[in-house]
Amino acid sequence: MPRKLKLEGLQAELSAVELLLKQAIEVGDPIGEMQLTHRKQKIENEISQTDQHPEMTASVALFFWWRTSLRF
């Protein structure tokens, strides 16, 4: 997977986990808070590892973006 896509995916996942963590703290869910804190740390570690290790192989990502128009 291209580095940029991997980083964007991890950053999106981190944002979602941070939101869920905030909600868990607000409702007083200690188990959820503990699990989400652990997951947040894992994601942050993955992001830092991805930043530290440059890709050694070339990769290409093709994006096809079109609007389908099916009419019956």
Side-chain angles (χ1 to χ4, degrees):
M1 174 183 300
R3 183 177 168 273
K4 181 178 177 357
L5 290 179
K6 184 174 183 176
L7 277 175
E8 286 179 359
L10 288 170
Q11 290 167 343
E13 188 176 355
L14 181 61
S15 294
V17 167
E18 287 174 340
L19 179 64
L20 291 171
L21 180 59
K22 181 181 173 187
Q23 292 173 350
I25 292 170
E26 287 176 358
V27 297
D29 179 9
I31 304 293
E33 182 180 348
M34 181 180 65
Q35 291 174 336
L36 291 167
T37 300
H38 179 69
R39 180 65 187 138
K40 180 181 173 191
Q41 290 171 348
K42 283 180 68 175
I43 295 169
E44 288 171 341
N45 287 340
E46 285 185 62
I47 289 172
S48 67
Q49 288 176 359
T50 303
D51 283 340
Q52 291 174 359
H53 300 292
E55 285 186 324
M56 301 305 285
T57 58
S59 61
V60 174
L62 298 176
F63 293 96
F64 297 96
W65 191 269
W66 68 90
R67 189 177 75 174
T68 59
S69 58
L70 297 176
R71 296 186 183 162
F72 297 96

